[in-house]
Amino acid sequence: MNAKEIAQLRRQFKKDNSDFFIANIAAAYVSNENSSPVIKCFDITDYEDLSESERTIYLAILKKALSGKLGRQLTEYSFESGSDCQQKLYDLNQSRLKDPDLVKEFVNEFTRNTSYLNGYFLILAACEWQVKDQNRLEDSGSSYRFLLCSINEVTLTDIGLYFNEETGTMEKKEDVDMHVISSGLDGFLYPCYTDGGADVNHILYYTKTPKRPNEMFIEYIIGTMSDLPYDKENDCFRKMLTDVAGRELNFDTVSHVYGSLRDMVAEAEEDGVPLALDKTKMRALLEDAGLNEDTLQHYSSVYDKTVGDNELKAVNLMDSEKLSVRMKDISVTVRGDAAWKVKTQLVDGKRYLMIQIDDGLEVNGMDVNQ
């Protein structure tokens, strides 16, 4: 899936959308008692049987499982040939969650094979989208049926003080009610929506914490975890760049590399397709930053050692909004598109960080003379 397809699907999650339909919702509350998960409740409900307020809440929770950047919060995985994980999800999707035994088996296995610190609420929805021809806004005749799952943390409700009608006083509300946090911890979409139809060989994984994806969730739902987590991609890139450039790594080189990455990410986002850098594209990026052939003579071995056979997603290699410069007792943060205003310069044998000043200079909220 690309970003445009995800955004197109997200837009369907709204009330009174005649092109979008949720058939059934399976839900289970799992508590964590003495480090052992226990299913406290489980049911399968026809979406139309829910109250309007309940439908609104479920719709908002499920929509959030499709939020975030592709390559960070959202990662597409492919199933290995003959995957049991794929078959289970395929059967669930085909059943439209109308087979209680099939759904209960999925919930039981999920509970046994995953782990969360606190209690959680598992939501699994059987959805259907009647796809229209985008040029004519007419029914294209294709129906995209999919499962959307969201795992949400459950905590005790604490509303602080409230007015007690019986006593006529303000009192502390005791933490006895369980509350479902609306933003999910993990989730998935299956099958993916690609080129206007269902792709049963791929699944889209959502995580609230790209730096710490739930490996147990991924292993159970997908059966493999071939991609590097967000923070490991970033670490690999920085180590690779440091080891390749060595003493040639200076401010201008780093600024140029990240400036090029920022432009590449922006261009890829316009196309709706996340950019991944392989060994060849990465070398071209470093050459463009000014590293010469002598500096790059060990590039191939360093890349193989630090990155291996993986591709690195460009969006994960940087903070596209800023460039951070740190030294002892001083920290400077520059917007990415203004990095050209910063440079290093040697003055009287000492290195200085030079920042171009344009319109106005402010210190602690006060305008000062330049």
Side-chain angles (χ1 to χ4, degrees):
M1 296 181 71
N2 58 43
K4 291 180 180 178
E5 290 166 334
I6 294 172
Q8 188 180 7
L9 181 56
R10 271 178 53 85
R11 286 196 293 269
Q12 307 309 313
F13 285 76
K14 56 188 178 184
K15 293 195 302 182
D16 304 323
N17 180 5
S18 59
D19 297 324
F20 180 74
F21 176 70
I22 297 179
N24 292 293
I25 285 184
Y29 166 47
V30 182
S31 69
N32 196 3
E33 300 179 359
N34 299 321
S35 300
S36 179
V38 177
I39 300 175
K40 289 289 190 177
C41 70
F42 164 80
D43 60 20
I44 302 173
T45 308
D46 187 314
Y47 185 70
E48 294 302 318
D49 289 341
L50 297 171
S51 67
E52 182 176 351
S53 59
E54 288 173 327
R55 291 198 298 269
T56 299
I57 292 173
Y58 276 112
L59 205 61
I61 290 175
L62 290 168
K63 185 177 181 179
K64 288 182 180 179
L66 293 172
S67 61
K69 280 185 174 289
L70 192 57
R72 284 196 180 179
Q73 290 86 359
L74 298 170
T75 305
E76 183 173 321
Y77 288 92
S78 61
F79 290 101
E80 296 178 351
S81 179
S83 168
D84 290 337
C85 298
Q86 180 184 9
Q87 189 63 52
K88 290 176 184 176
L89 293 179
Y90 181 86
D91 292 341
L92 274 174
N93 191 42
Q94 289 293 102
S95 76
R96 303 279 74 203
L97 304 182
K98 293 179 180 179
D99 185 337
D101 293 335
L102 195 62
V103 179
K104 190 62 179 291
E105 180 184 4
F106 171 82
V107 172
N108 286 335
E109 289 188 358
F110 180 90
T111 303
R112 289 195 299 267
N113 289 280
T114 58
S115 177
Y116 290 88
L117 182 63
N118 300 313
Y120 62 88
F121 191 53
L122 183 154
I123 304 172
L124 187 63
C127 310
E128 183 172 344
W129 172 29
Q130 196 67 37
V131 183
K132 289 185 178 296
D133 187 308
Q134 294 301 303
N135 296 320
R136 297 179 297 173
L137 297 179
E138 296 176 355
D139 191 338
S140 67
S142 64
S143 179
Y144 169 51
R145 292 185 168 188
F146 60 95
L147 295 175
L148 189 58
C149 176
S150 180
I151 307 297
N152 295 65
E153 185 179 1
V154 176
T155 63
L156 287 171
T157 299
D158 183 5
I159 63 171
L161 296 175
Y162 81 109
F163 180 69
N164 188 325
E165 290 281 358
E166 295 181 358
T167 63
T169 60
M170 299 298 294
E171 299 178 1
K172 171 69 172 67
K173 172 71 174 180
E174 296 299 326
D175 296 346
V176 294
D177 299 322
M178 302 304 291
H179 169 65
V180 176
I181 305 299
S182 59
S183 57
L185 299 171
D186 297 296
F188 69 81
L189 165 76
Y190 176 82
C192 283
Y193 177 70
T194 307
D195 296 331
D199 177 4
V200 297
N201 294 316
H202 290 83
I203 184 172
L204 188 69
Y205 166 65
Y206 164 81
T207 178
K208 183 180 179 181
T209 54
K211 292 186 177 183
R212 301 183 305 279
N214 191 328
E215 296 187 16
M216 292 182 70
F217 182 98
I218 296 173
E219 286 288 346
Y220 173 67
I221 296 295
I222 305 166
T224 183
M225 188 171 178
S226 56
D227 289 349
L228 289 172
Y230 159 69
D231 57 335
K232 290 185 179 179
E233 286 198 62
N234 205 324
D235 290 344
C236 282
F237 173 69
R238 288 183 294 179
K239 179 171 176 50
M240 183 274 301
L241 179 58
T242 301
D243 290 352
V244 168
R247 296 179 62 86
E248 299 299 317
L249 188 64
N250 55 39
F251 178 86
D252 291 339
T253 300
V254 174
S255 179
H256 194 294
V257 166
Y258 282 100
S260 297
L261 277 173
R262 186 180 63 254
D263 294 340
M264 293 162 70
V265 168
E267 183 178 347
E269 287 181 346
E270 288 183 2
D271 296 335
V273 180
L275 174 67
L277 299 178
D278 59 14
K279 190 174 182 178
T280 301
K281 291 178 180 177
M282 186 67 74
R283 182 184 176 96
L285 174 68
L286 301 186
E287 288 176 342
D288 185 59
L291 297 184
N292 58 42
E293 194 63 36
D294 289 340
T295 304
L296 291 170
Q297 62 179 322
H298 300 300
Y299 166 77
S300 182
S301 60
V302 170
Y303 187 95
D304 291 342
K305 181 179 179 181
T306 55
V307 184
D309 296 329
N310 297 287
E311 292 184 342
L312 299 180
K313 294 181 283 294
V315 71
N316 287 345
L317 306 185
M318 58 175 293
D319 184 334
S320 59
E321 302 299 324
K322 64 184 180 181
L323 185 71
S324 296
V325 182
R326 291 187 179 90
M327 63 192 82
K328 186 178 180 181
D329 301 327
I330 297 177
S331 178
V332 178
T333 301
V334 185
R335 270 181 42 179
D337 57 0
W340 61 271
K341 295 181 179 180
V342 183
K343 64 180 180 178
T344 56
Q345 187 169 323
L346 196 65
V347 179
D348 296 332
K350 294 184 178 181
R351 290 189 302 161
Y352 287 84
L353 186 69
M354 315 293 288
I355 303 177
Q356 177 179 318
I357 300 175
D358 293 330
D359 300 325
L361 181 64
E362 188 178 287
V363 178
N364 285 349
M366 299 173 287
D367 293 327
V368 297
N369 295 325
Q370 300 181 21

